[in-house]
Amino acid sequence: MSANVYRALSDLKGFSLKNCPAMAEPTGVLMCPPDYFQVLSVKNPYMIGNVGGVDPMKARRQWETLVAAFESVGCPVDTITPTPGLEDMVFCANQSLAGTRPDGEKVALISAMRHASRRREVGSFKHWYEARGYRVFSLKSEGHEAFEGSGDAIWHPCKRLIWGGYGFRTDAAMFTQVAEFFKTPVLLLKLVNERFYHLDTCFCPLTSESVLIYPSAFDAASLELILKMFPIVITSSEADAVTRMSCNSAVWRSKFALVQKGAAAASGHMQALGLKVVEVDTSEFVKSGGSVYCLKQFLFG
């Protein structure tokens, strides 16, 4: 399978999911305690009106409950030490993208963050991976192009295929390096709604054949790609997608879905597909524009 980047149906030319090699599932997650978490500035629409509005004790309880929820479904949780002054470091999805190469080698791609206030986070993640035997690569950003890890690059379940989101935090040009590093094809999805600034806010693969999306987050060409590759496409209601960040759920091995409490419609669809839903409250983190998926990084190997 070539490490090409595809933007539209016309680019595929015989490409199909069946031709993508199998890939091992994640072996756990990496999380960062919310010791310094707070909303200090407005980087996305969720943050408007929430500057200084986080309850630290409540956020800590919610984070610990989320850790326990991952462990309860058999997902091991590793942690990284938080750094003073880095209030957004708790959102572990953004500083890197972990995975494997076709030969099974575990690797990690270090992000080039959009906002200056987040660029100091990546060094800690680079050192964390190196200490655990990952081959680590930092993206080259000659023109200050950005790439925000698994916030905008999501592995297709059990397949050597990456879905790449661009338009707000990540630049499309960066996915050429992503594809080459992982030796894996990338299907690009253009984000057009600023409330859905990362791919993980509007696109949640549930199984190899099903996905939960918020359609208005994408342009027409991107929706065509999604409909082509997934036999089952479930659409989230606006209330679930915006207020409860339903598409920012985390699915563990296509069996368990960790979902923000109250996303009833999305949870019902997941249960209909055979997933066991575990509701958690991440409301303090939603104030900053992140929920379950944002708070972890899938690990491999």
Side-chain angles (χ1 to χ4, degrees), residues 219-298:
D219 71 356
S222 299
L223 287 174
E224 288 180 343
L225 280 175
I226 294 170
L227 291 168
K228 173 70 174 179
M229 301 302 290
F230 285 97
I232 303 172
V233 178
I234 299 168
T235 60
S236 175
S237 67
E238 182 176 3
D240 276 358
V242 175
T243 307
R244 291 172 282 276
M245 299 194 76
S246 58
C247 295
N248 200 246
S249 301
V251 178
W252 176 246
R253 301 202 165 184
S254 298
K255 296 179 180 179
F256 301 94
L258 279 64
V259 183
Q260 166 61 27
K261 183 179 179 181
S267 295
H269 289 308
M270 293 176 185
Q271 290 171 336
L273 287 172
L275 276 68
K276 181 177 180 180
V277 172
V278 179
E279 286 195 339
V280 291
D281 184 6
T282 62
S283 56
E284 290 302 299
F285 300 98
V286 171
K287 294 177 180 178
S288 192
S291 185
V292 181
Y293 194 95
C294 286
L295 290 165
K296 63 94 205 78
Q297 172 68 231
F298 279 129

Side-chain angles (χ1 to χ4, degrees), residues 48-262:
I48 297 172
N50 287 318
V51 173
V54 170
D55 181 336
M57 293 184 65
K58 186 176 181 181
R60 166 66 69 168
R61 291 194 298 270
Q62 290 181 353
W63 184 86
E64 291 176 347
T65 300
L66 179 58
V67 170
F70 273 115
E71 293 176 337
S72 73
V73 300
C75 176
V77 177
D78 215 329
T79 58
I80 187 170
T81 302
T83 301
L86 301 183
E87 73 277 5
D88 294 320
M89 189 173 170
V90 67
F91 297 112
C92 280
N94 306 137
Q95 305 88 348
S96 65
L97 174 64
T100 60
R101 283 181 164 164
D103 62 1
E105 179 185 27
K106 61 181 185 180
V107 291
L109 187 59
I110 303 302
S111 299
M113 306 294 285
R114 174 71 66 186
H115 293 285
S117 62
R118 299 205 64 185
R119 291 172 193 157
R120 288 196 299 127
E121 299 171 17
V122 300
S124 295
F125 286 83
K126 181 176 184 292
H127 296 318
W128 189 93
Y129 284 117
E130 289 174 338
R132 286 154 183 83
Y134 280 76
R135 177 176 289 189
V136 180
F137 178 80
S138 296
L139 281 164
K140 299 175 183 177
S141 180
E142 297 179 359
H144 302 290
E145 296 93 348
F147 170 74
E148 298 212 344
S150 65
D152 276 324
I154 298 176
W155 286 100
H156 193 103
C158 303
K159 291 289 186 178
R160 293 211 62 81
L161 173 64
I162 293 172
W163 291 88
Y166 71 98
F168 295 103
R169 294 295 186 85
T170 296
D171 293 293
M174 299 298 269
F175 284 105
T176 298
Q177 294 183 61
V178 175
E180 291 175 351
F181 178 69
F182 287 103
K183 309 299 181 186
T184 297
V186 175
L187 297 185
L188 289 187
L189 302 176
K190 185 176 182 179
L191 306 177
V192 295
N193 184 327
E194 66 176 1
R195 183 167 285 279
F196 301 93
Y197 59 95
H198 274 149
L199 183 61
D200 67 8
T201 64
C202 52
F203 178 87
C204 180
L206 304 175
T207 67
S208 184
E209 296 188 340
S210 62
V211 64
L212 173 71
I213 66 169
Y214 185 64
S216 297
F218 304 97
D219 71 356
S222 299
L223 287 174
E224 288 180 343
L225 280 175
I226 294 170
L227 291 168
K228 173 70 174 179
M229 301 302 290
F230 285 97
I232 303 172
V233 178
I234 299 168
T235 60
S236 175
S237 67
E238 182 176 3
D240 276 358
V242 175
T243 307
R244 291 172 282 276
M245 299 194 76
S246 58
C247 295
N248 200 246
S249 301
V251 178
W252 176 246
R253 301 202 165 184
S254 298
K255 296 179 180 179
F256 301 94
L258 279 64
V259 183
Q260 166 61 27
K261 183 179 179 181

